[in-house]
Amino acid sequence: MNYETVVTWLTENDTHFPFNATWEHNYDSFVIASFLSTILAIIHYISSEITHDYSQVDRAWSLLPVIYAWHFTIHDYLSNGMLNVRLVAASIIISLWGARLTYNFARKGGYYSSGQDYRYPYLLEKVGPVLMAILNITFIATVQNFLLLLLASPLYIVSQVSNKTSCLSTFDWIIIATHLSLLFIEAVADEQQYAFQTAKHALLEYLQPSQLKDDFKNGFLWHSGLFQYSRHPNFFAEMAMWWVIYFFSVSAIQEAIGQFHLASIQITQYIKKM
């Protein structure tokens, strides 16, 4: 949408939202997102090398998939002039995931300068600055950034194959319900883990580590809550949620193929009648 188009729209439509907006320069949304991911990888690498704080990507972990999701949704709207309800639904539940994870990361002090993952200083001490810099440029700052883009990439597929229907399919609603269920499991597990760690550190103010008992002595939850059924229920839910997001693309492809088959049958029947 160039300058002249914007001016024309403003003069003809006052200040109403352009529900039929289109974008004349229809650059591929994945190319744009990849460019942004590359820029962020460079920024994260440089800043982490300067500050020796290698948790730069960690602080963006809950934010970037949300940004990419809405980028694909808004780009699709600007390109086609109408909202794709499947993309909007996916972006909303990804936003819920991001909001909860941001809150959980913030309350643990992750956004403070002292909130670096404790494993990075340990790793730096073991491998040295040269190997750490290599690891940083090959994985920590780069691969992780592109991974965050790939998490939201099923929405790009949806934007390419979806027929822009005005309602969600039954499969879409199953996807949404499953994702929200997994989000609830992750939230409960994180809350249980946070409460346990808070209680453990409170006990350590008065007791020696050798005086602790049960799970507190082990240092991690094992015999209570969701952790008695899985060593990492929150990690399981986290990974499963992104598999569920992937199924939005499956739903879109299934719908497109189904309609194609239906159209083929109708055309065949029409030809037979001729």
Side-chain angles (χ1 to χ4, degrees):
M1 186 179 292
N2 56 29
Y3 175 78
E4 291 78 12
T5 304
V6 173
V7 172
T8 302
W9 171 76
L10 287 173
T11 55
E12 293 180 355
N13 299 279
D14 297 326
T15 57
H16 298 293
F17 186 78
F19 288 101
N20 60 343
T22 57
W23 194 7
E24 293 180 2
H25 302 290
N26 190 15
Y27 300 109
D28 185 82
S29 58
F30 195 82
V31 172
I32 298 173
S34 298
F35 178 76
L36 174 60
S37 183
T38 302
I39 296 299
L40 289 173
I42 295 172
I43 293 173
H44 288 152
Y45 174 74
I46 294 175
S47 60
S48 60
E49 287 299 320
I50 293 175
T51 62
H52 297 294
D53 183 346
Y54 298 96
S55 284
Q56 306 295 332
V57 181
D58 296 344
R59 297 185 180 98
W61 194 273
S62 62
L63 305 175
L64 290 181
V66 177
I67 293 173
Y68 292 134
W70 284 108
H71 159 67
F72 291 133
T73 301
I74 295 172
H75 184 280
D76 181 80
Y77 165 72
L78 293 175
S79 299
N80 298 289
M82 62 183 298
L83 286 172
N84 185 319
V85 291
R86 185 175 284 115
L87 286 175
V88 172
S91 296
I92 289 174
I93 62 175
I94 290 175
S95 298
L96 293 175
W97 163 86
R100 194 214 66 83
L101 193 61
T102 299
Y103 163 74
N104 190 61
F105 191 68
R107 68 174 176 172
K108 294 190 293 185
Y111 292 107
Y112 291 107
S113 58
S114 59
Q116 178 178 205
D117 190 316
Y118 70 93
R119 290 167 291 191
Y120 286 135
Y122 175 81
L123 187 60
L124 176 61
E125 181 182 351
K126 290 295 182 181
V127 303
V130 175
L131 288 179
M132 191 66 182
I134 295 174
L135 178 63
N136 191 14
I137 198 171
T138 57
F139 178 76
I140 299 173
T142 53
V143 172
Q144 288 193 114
N145 259 296
F146 289 113
L147 175 61
L148 293 175
L149 169 58
L150 292 177
L151 289 177
S153 62
L155 274 66
Y156 171 74
I157 298 175
V158 172
S159 70
Q160 298 302 301
V161 303
S162 181
N163 64 347
K164 316 299 185 296
T165 55
S166 58
C167 60
L168 297 172
S169 67
T170 302
F171 189 26
D172 290 322
W173 285 111
I174 293 174
I175 293 170
I176 293 171
T178 304
H179 189 278
L180 293 177
S181 299
L182 291 167
L183 180 62
F184 176 75
I185 292 173
E186 184 180 47
V188 170
D190 278 344
E191 185 63 33
Q192 291 174 348
Q193 189 174 48
Y194 181 78
F196 171 82
Q197 292 294 339
T198 302
K200 184 185 73 174
H201 287 291
L203 288 173
L204 287 173
E205 293 183 3
Y206 303 98
L207 301 174
Q208 295 297 321
S210 59
Q211 295 177 292
L212 298 178
K213 297 181 180 180
D214 302 325
D215 286 348
F216 291 113
K217 185 176 182 179
N218 295 326
F220 52 85
L221 271 175
W222 193 2
H223 298 98
S224 62
L226 294 175
F227 290 84
Q228 63 185 309
Y229 306 108
S230 171
R231 180 66 185 89
H232 296 290
N234 43 356
F235 294 171
F236 163 76
E238 173 72 16
M239 291 185 287
M241 272 189 284
W242 291 109
W243 276 106
V244 170
I245 292 297
Y246 157 76
F247 280 109
F248 274 116
S249 64
V250 175
S251 178
I253 293 172
Q254 181 188 54
E255 185 178 66
I257 292 175
Q259 290 199 349
F260 175 77
H261 286 171
L262 179 60
S264 300
I265 294 172
Q266 291 174 339
I267 292 172
T268 302
Q269 291 176 343
Y270 176 76
I271 292 175
K272 287 181 178 180
K273 292 179 181 179
M274 293 180 63

